[in-house]
Amino acid sequence: ELRSYFQREWAHASTTLGIGLLRDRQAVEARAYLWQSLQQYPWNPRSLSALALSYLPQSIAYPFIHLRNPNLLSRAR
């Protein structure tokens, strides 16, 4: 019962770290954390969108990475 909870938390933390690395312009390093998150929850829209942005050129992805929409980068509860 607790295992699934901690897996969700780990996946969320991995995605958050990946997004932080994207914001720091370290897309290659971010991908490892985003892929790790997607192994736990393959259809997580937050992880999928961050991973997609990591493959775009920085000039295109950078404005999207820095959006400050609270619903965009937070998890649903």
Side-chain angles (χ1 to χ4, degrees):
E1 182 178 313
L2 290 176
R3 182 181 176 96
S4 65
Y5 169 77
F6 285 113
Q7 284 178 328
R8 276 193 315 273
E9 291 298 312
W10 185 261
H12 179 75
S14 295
T15 300
T16 301
L17 180 55
I19 290 170
L21 288 168
L22 285 176
R23 287 181 173 163
D24 199 32
R25 297 180 185 249
Q26 298 178 35
V28 174
E29 293 84 358
R31 287 182 198 131
Y33 292 100
L34 295 168
W35 279 115
Q36 180 180 1
S37 175
L38 288 169
Q39 287 176 342
Q40 295 293 322
Y41 292 96
W43 299 108
N44 182 339
R46 183 172 177 253
S47 301
L48 285 169
S49 59
L51 183 63
L53 287 172
S54 77
Y55 285 100
L56 291 175
Q58 286 186 358
S59 61
I60 296 170
Y62 192 73
F64 293 104
I65 293 168
H66 287 279
L67 286 176
R68 291 292 176 188
N69 181 348
N71 297 324
L72 181 65
L73 298 178
S74 64
R75 72 178 130 179
R77 296 224 179 227

